[in-house]
Amino acid sequence: MRVPNNRVATRSAAVAARSTLTSLTAAVGTAGLAAAHANPGLLAEVDQHAAGVRDSLDGDRRPLTVAALAGYAEGLRDAAAEHGWTPPAEPDWSEPDWTLTRLLAVCLLARGLDPRHLA
């Protein structure tokens, strides 16, 4: 029995999306969200960015998905790289730049998804 090509591609895309969010969480989310919970000003800024991401993805009309958040994060990193941004080896959470804060917002939104989708 053959598996239809569209199912294989969809499965691979889902794995890639989860992998993107898992890598982003390891690089930015874990330390960044811990810093945000210790710093109310940073947490407020991340919340504002999360609202912006949700608006960009039309999150008020349809549920956010792993694929949508991963695609947004990849697009953001690609666009930032085209403008000379490089991710810091050790982010300074006392004054993160716009891109880093936006990526942290994606991590915050990803934490709100059903955890079974990230495993």
Side-chain angles (χ1 to χ4, degrees):
M1 183 171 162
R2 298 179 105 185
V3 176
N5 286 341
N6 64 344
R7 288 191 182 190
V8 172
T10 301
R11 176 76 176 135
S12 296
V15 169
R18 283 192 304 274
S19 177
T20 294
L21 290 182
T22 299
S23 296
L24 181 62
T25 298
V28 173
T30 302
L33 291 173
H37 287 295
N39 178 342
L42 176 58
L43 184 57
E45 194 173 339
V46 172
D47 282 340
Q48 288 176 346
H49 277 267
V53 172
R54 220 179 349 267
D55 285 348
S56 294
L57 297 174
D58 207 16
D60 292 337
R61 295 182 194 195
R62 57 181 172 209
L64 293 175
T65 65
V66 171
L69 289 172
Y72 184 90
E74 288 175 341
L76 175 61
R77 282 189 295 209
D78 290 348
E82 287 177 13
H83 288 89
W85 183 81
T86 56
E90 290 293 323
D92 176 7
W93 296 110
S94 64
E95 293 187 33
D97 63 24
W98 187 94
T99 302
L100 199 56
T101 306
R102 197 70 161 199
L103 290 171
L104 187 54
V106 171
C107 293
L108 179 67
L109 291 168
R111 279 197 174 175
L113 297 177
D114 186 335
R116 292 173 295 180
H117 296 297
L118 296 174

